[in-house]
Amino acid sequence: RMLSAVRCRQRSLCSVAPRAAQPSQSLDLSYTQTTSELSVGDITRTRAFLGFGAAATHPASYRYLLGSVSGHNIIDPEQTLYAMRKVMHFLKKLTFRGGRTLFVSTQPQLARLTRVIGQQSGQFYMARKWVPGLLTNWETVQQQVKKKLQLNPIARSAGKLRHSDVQRSMDMKGIEGMDSIPDVVVLLDGTNIHGEAAALNVPLIAVVDSDATQEYVDYPIPANSNSIRFHHTLAHMLVRSINEGAKLRATLDEYRINKDTSEDGDGVVDEKELEEARQAALMSGRG
C-alpha cells in the first residue's frame, strides 16, 4: 500500500484528495471527532506519511522517518499523530488563558481553508500572501494594513475599483482586528516566516515535510505538506481545540461573575475555589 502511494506521489496525484473525502462546499469544520479518537489509520488514509525524495531529505527530518520506498521518504504516522495531539493541547490551553492565534498559508490551494479556519475559530489569519515584517515591524505595518483595508469611496461609488486594490483588501481582512502581536503562529505550509517569529519569541507551529527546515519551529507536525486531505483533518482539529479552549474560558468567566454577585458572600472570590474550578474545566475539556 505504501509503495502504491509513493508511486501516486511520483505522478503528482497525491496532493488531490478523492471526491468522497472532500468537505462540503460550506467547509464546516465543526468536527465531532476528538484527537483521542483519531487513530494512526486515520492519519495514514490522508497520505500524511508520504515524504519527498530521499535525495532532498533535511537532516533534522530523519528522526521522523521510517525509511524510504522507491526513493521516497516514509514519515512515521505515529509521530504525526503524537505531534498533532501535543499541538491541540497547547492551543486549547493557550486559548483558555486568553491567547490569540495567527494562521498563515500562502499556497493558493490552502487559501480558502486558511480563511475558514480563522473565521470558524475566531482567530486571525493570513491567506494567499504574507506581508514581510508583519511581526517584527508591526507598528509600521499596522498603518499600512489600515490603509489597504479602506477602499476609495469615490472609486467604489463609481464602480471603478481596481482588482488589485480589492484583492489587497481581502488579503488583509484576516488581521483587521489584530492590535498586537499574536501569542502563537500556525504555519500550514512552507512560508518563510521562521525568523520573524523567533525574533519576537513567538511560538511557531508548522507542518514540516521531509525536505523542510525545522529551525525555530517550536511545535513541528511531520507530514506530507502537499496532502490536501491531511490539511482538512488538521483544520478540523485546530478549530475544535481552539473553540473548546474558548468555551472553557467562558465557563470560568461565568463562574467568576456568579461568585462576585452571590448574595451570601462578601463579593470576594475565593482563590482556592477559583483554582479548583479552573482545573476542573481543563480536565473536562481534555480529549
Side-chain angles (χ1 to χ4, degrees):
R1 182 178 297 178
M2 285 188 176
L3 181 59
S4 62
V6 169
R7 289 173 178 169
C8 178
R9 178 160 191 167
Q10 289 174 339
R11 296 194 301 268
S12 302
L13 297 177
C14 289
S15 60
V16 181
R19 183 177 300 274
Q22 292 285 358
S24 62
Q25 293 297 323
S26 61
L27 276 180
D28 184 14
L29 299 181
S30 55
Y31 206 42
T32 57
Q33 191 175 24
T34 63
T35 51
S36 60
E37 297 170 347
L38 200 65
S39 65
V40 174
D42 296 327
I43 300 298
T44 304
R45 281 188 286 272
T46 64
R47 296 292 192 266
F49 61 86
L50 294 175
F52 272 87
T57 306
H58 194 278
S61 301
Y62 282 108
R63 53 178 174 164
Y64 299 125
L65 302 181
L66 291 175
S68 61
V69 176
S70 297
H72 279 255
N73 292 318
I74 302 299
I75 301 173
D76 187 356
E78 290 187 358
Q79 296 202 44
T80 302
L81 180 59
Y82 173 77
M84 288 179 62
R85 288 176 175 172
K86 187 176 180 181
V87 165
M88 301 313 140
H89 178 68
F90 171 77
L91 286 177
K92 184 189 297 185
K93 192 173 181 180
L94 179 75
T95 308
F96 175 75
R97 294 177 175 177
R100 301 308 302 271
T101 304
L102 173 64
F103 295 98
V104 179
S105 175
T106 58
Q107 290 186 9
Q109 61 267 31
L110 295 178
R112 184 187 176 202
L113 182 63
T114 305
R115 287 194 293 267
V116 173
I117 293 174
Q119 292 167 1
Q120 295 193 12
S121 63
Q123 304 297 320
F124 307 116
Y125 60 91
M126 282 290 294
R128 204 185 72 84
K129 186 176 181 181
W130 172 257
V131 180
L134 179 66
L135 300 180
T136 55
N137 196 20
W138 168 245
E139 297 296 333
T140 303
V141 173
Q142 186 179 23
Q143 302 301 323
Q144 299 177 0
V145 169
K146 291 180 180 179
K147 291 180 180 178
K148 292 178 181 179
L149 285 169
Q150 296 174 356
L151 297 174
N152 191 331
I154 299 178
R156 177 187 292 180
S157 59
K160 296 182 179 180
L161 281 174
R162 292 182 299 179
H163 175 74
S164 58
D165 294 335
V166 177
Q167 187 64 57
R168 215 175 287 119
S169 176
M170 291 179 60
D171 292 341
M172 302 299 167
K173 198 70 176 176
I175 56 174
E176 183 175 7
M178 193 169 75
D179 53 2
S180 61
I181 301 298
D183 298 283
V184 64
V185 177
V186 179
L187 182 59
L188 300 177
D189 57 22
T191 307
N192 189 14
I193 63 171
H194 303 68
E196 291 196 33
L200 299 174
N201 293 324
V202 176
L204 178 62
I205 300 170
V207 177
V208 293
D209 213 322
S210 61
D211 68 328
T213 177
Q214 299 175 27
E215 188 178 11
Y216 305 128
V217 179
D218 300 279
Y219 295 91
I221 303 177
N224 177 6
S225 59
N226 292 329
S227 173
I228 301 299
R229 195 190 304 187
F230 170 74
H231 278 90
H232 279 294
T233 301
L234 178 63
H236 287 300
M237 297 293 104
L238 291 172
V239 171
R240 182 184 178 92
S241 59
I242 290 177
N243 288 341
E244 284 183 353
K247 184 178 179 181
L248 294 176
R249 181 175 177 82
T251 302
L252 187 60
D253 289 341
E254 183 180 355
Y255 172 82
R256 285 197 181 103
I257 294 175
N258 293 337
K259 193 69 176 179
D260 287 336
T261 57
S262 65
E263 297 180 355
D264 55 352
D266 55 0
V268 179
V269 179
D270 189 344
E271 293 297 332
K272 184 177 180 180
E273 293 185 9
L274 189 61
E275 180 64 21
E276 291 177 355
R278 186 182 72 86
Q279 293 295 336
L282 279 176
M283 293 299 296
S284 64
R286 229 172 245 178

